[in-house]
Amino acid sequence: MTPSQLAISFPIWALHDTPGHGAYHDLDRMMEETVQRGFNCIRFDDGAGLIDFASEPPNGIVPLCESYPGFTSAMRQSWCVGKGGPCDLLSRLVELMEAAKRHHVHVILSSWYYLHTHWYCGDDALNRRLHAIPPHERFQYFAEQLDHILSYLRERELLGQIAFAEILNEADGLNFIGGYTSKANPEHAQFGQEHEAAIAFLQRRHPDVLFAYDTYTAYTKEDLFPRNVQVWNFHSYYLWPVYSLLEGRLLQSGTDVTDPAELACALPYLKESPIPLQQVYDSRKGRLPGAEDWYRRNWLYNNLDPQRIPALEQAFFAKFAQERHHYEEVLIKALEQAVSLRDHLCPQARLVMGESCSYIGAYTLLWEEHCDDYWDMLAFIATQYRKYGLWGAAPRTCSGCEDPSWLMRADDYRRVNHILTADTP
């Protein structure tokens, strides 16, 4: 039975394990630790698009690789895939679902293919083929891939572990519909209709599964919103602006990272001889390009001077203490917006926040783990999720078993997740 309230962990690359390198090789241990921290649900990339269901039997073996070779070992979430090698995504999916069933954990299936997953796929021909799909055919194509996955799991009596499923993560921010900063345009209505038709196709095929629209913001464009979904999974990175302390404008395209004026915010915390940004660009040479801000993010967080981290953490403590209530207000306004827009466009949809808070760039930067007030904020915000009627939430995006917080803040995860799942809010 699906839980009445979801506390969601986010081991995004749980399937993408290469033996000896990946962070999620022992799925039973991952599920056991997930439950120990009060989570009852996980959300991850389901392998859609990379699994070949046209072969007989279906073939899930894909060569995986580093997303930004030579740089990902410093980066949270990125390194959990490891150095690379062959991975049977389909067998891993079945093993994960069986482990979830044994430990009474539910799952949210999604796909980051056009955002991140293709960075990790070492099959260049497959990547080229998937990127050659015309944009207005992509929602239906990935709906058909999700249908294959669900049908495969149904045959193995594993659908009962699915809380809900999404065709594509952050579907309102995908590059092929204009990206995160796109202005409203006539094509958005067409994409919205195509997404709605793809959802309807899945609902006909799997009437016992809930399907979601996943957005990067509560302030999503109405034309893109499929009106027939049963769940709206919106995100709010309400704390991410705190990282302006370090990132400034450095992640923006065109910013000269050799200009002392542009480097001013980060300069006190960087190595004396930083790695050139061009080396990060060159790491993906000959492959489909990554995202500009992620080239720069890898550059920035690989250039932190370990000896200057304590001073950087102190600076974050001070900025957070000064601005904490502002971040809480931003989150509450997002919740108010989500409730209002849901009631207007899709009143039957349950509300979920599947990604939240911030993304922390480097494993070595532990100010969130070290800050008690930060975890108190997460507990307060969990009460707000319940107040506004959310079905489920992820306390923070970096919440997989590979993250430093997993061991350092296990008690706080239990505290926050108890608020999210208690019978009485």
Side-chain angles (χ1 to χ4, degrees):
M1 180 180 295
T2 306
S4 58
Q5 294 293 139
L6 302 176
I8 304 166
S9 175
F10 190 40
I12 179 173
W13 306 119
L15 296 188
H16 297 65
D17 176 85
T18 50
H21 299 297
Y24 307 116
H25 190 61
D26 188 336
L27 291 169
D28 267 305
R29 177 180 175 181
M30 182 184 80
M31 295 298 175
E32 182 179 357
E33 293 179 352
T34 295
V35 173
Q36 287 172 350
R37 285 153 183 77
F39 293 103
N40 58 18
C41 186
I42 64 172
R43 182 168 175 260
F44 58 92
D45 186 289
D46 58 20
L50 301 186
I51 300 169
D52 181 7
F53 283 100
S55 67
E56 185 56 50
N59 178 21
I61 300 175
V62 177
L64 300 180
C65 55
E66 280 192 69
S67 53
Y68 296 84
F71 297 97
T72 48
S73 62
M75 302 295 290
R76 298 202 191 200
Q77 294 187 317
S78 298
W79 187 239
C80 54
V81 174
K83 295 180 180 179
C87 177
D88 190 337
L89 295 172
L90 189 56
S91 293
R92 287 276 302 171
L93 177 61
V94 171
E95 291 168 9
L96 182 149
M97 297 296 292
E98 289 173 341
K101 189 173 184 178
R102 285 192 293 272
H103 293 274
H104 309 290
V105 173
H106 281 70
V107 308
I108 299 166
L109 302 180
S110 189
S111 171
W112 283 257
Y113 180 76
Y114 289 109
L115 287 174
H116 307 303
T117 313
H118 70 273
W119 302 346
Y120 299 90
C121 176
D123 186 336
D124 292 331
L126 176 57
N127 278 332
R128 288 193 296 273
R129 181 173 66 79
L130 292 175
H131 278 78
I133 298 171
H136 287 291
E137 297 176 14
R138 291 181 181 180
F139 283 118
Q140 182 60 32
Y141 181 85
F142 273 80
E144 291 169 0
Q145 298 304 301
L146 179 54
D147 169 47
H148 289 313
I149 288 171
L150 295 173
S151 298
Y152 196 83
L153 295 177
R154 183 183 297 281
E155 291 172 1
R156 287 151 183 81
E157 299 183 350
L158 292 169
L159 279 193
Q161 296 310 120
I162 296 176
F164 61 89
E166 311 160 350
I167 298 175
L168 291 169
N169 171 74
E170 295 192 347
D172 58 338
L174 296 167
N175 285 336
F176 66 80
I177 65 161
Y180 290 108
T181 60
S182 65
K183 305 292 184 184
N185 66 68
E187 258 196 310
H188 283 168
Q190 183 178 352
F191 280 118
Q193 292 163 7
E194 290 159 357
H195 198 169
E196 189 167 309
I199 292 288
F201 161 78
L202 287 166
Q203 289 170 333
R204 290 192 298 271
R205 296 276 295 157
H206 304 281
D208 51 344
V209 176
L210 300 179
F211 293 98
Y213 178 41
D214 188 278
T215 69
Y216 76 93
T217 176
Y219 302 89
T220 190
K221 298 174 181 67
E222 293 189 18
D223 283 349
L224 290 170
F225 203 116
R227 306 299 203 268
N228 57 344
V229 291
Q230 294 123 318
V231 180
W232 177 20
N233 182 2
F234 66 100
H235 305 167
S236 178
Y237 281 98
Y238 57 89
L239 184 67
W240 211 330
V242 76
Y243 286 94
S244 63
L245 170 70
L246 179 64
E247 296 173 350
R249 291 165 30 90
L250 294 175
L251 304 188
Q252 296 179 19
S253 176
T255 300
D256 182 359
V257 300
T258 65
D259 182 346
E262 297 288 8
L263 274 173
C265 60
L267 199 56
Y269 311 109
L270 298 184
K271 299 172 182 176
E272 290 188 7
S273 299
I275 301 162
L277 177 58
Q278 187 60 46
Q279 287 189 21
V280 189
Y281 289 130
D282 291 345
S283 72
R284 289 192 57 83
K285 204 168 189 178
R287 299 168 58 192
L288 286 175
E292 176 65 22
D293 61 325
W294 280 89
Y295 283 116
R296 291 167 173 267
R297 187 169 285 112
N298 275 270
W299 168 83
L300 175 61
Y301 288 102
N302 274 272
N303 277 322
L304 291 182
D305 184 341
Q307 307 216 3
R308 302 180 187 185
I309 292 291
L312 178 57
E313 290 194 3
Q314 290 301 316
F316 274 119
F317 292 158
K319 184 174 175 62
F320 175 77
Q322 182 179 5
E323 300 179 356
R324 169 181 168 176
H325 293 301
H326 168 69
Y327 303 131
E328 293 172 349
E329 290 170 1
V330 169
L331 182 278
I332 290 169
K333 287 180 180 177
L335 294 174
E336 292 172 346
Q337 163 66 15
V339 170
S340 175
L341 190 60
R342 183 275 309 271
D343 291 348
H344 171 56
L345 295 180
C346 197
Q348 79 279 2
R350 305 185 193 190
L351 292 176
V352 170
M353 188 178 290
E355 295 178 34
S356 71
C357 203
S358 66
Y359 170 75
I360 315 144
Y363 281 112
T364 56
L365 182 56
L366 299 171
W367 81 269
E368 292 188 13
E369 283 79 6
H370 289 153
C371 182
D372 291 341
D373 287 345
Y374 165 88
W375 293 89
D376 288 342
M377 180 192 72
L378 293 189
F380 166 74
I381 283 172
T383 68
Q384 300 306 297
Y385 292 149
R386 297 301 303 272
K387 175 182 175 181
Y388 285 91
L390 268 62
W391 178 31
R396 64 203 296 266
T397 289
C398 293
S399 60
C401 65
E402 86 294 341
D403 195 75
S405 65
W406 198 251
L407 295 178
M408 294 176 69
R409 288 295 195 176
D411 288 343
D412 288 287
Y413 275 126
R414 280 190 286 272
R415 173 166 64 116
V416 173
N417 287 331
H418 176 74
I419 296 170
L420 289 173
T421 59
D423 291 338
T424 303

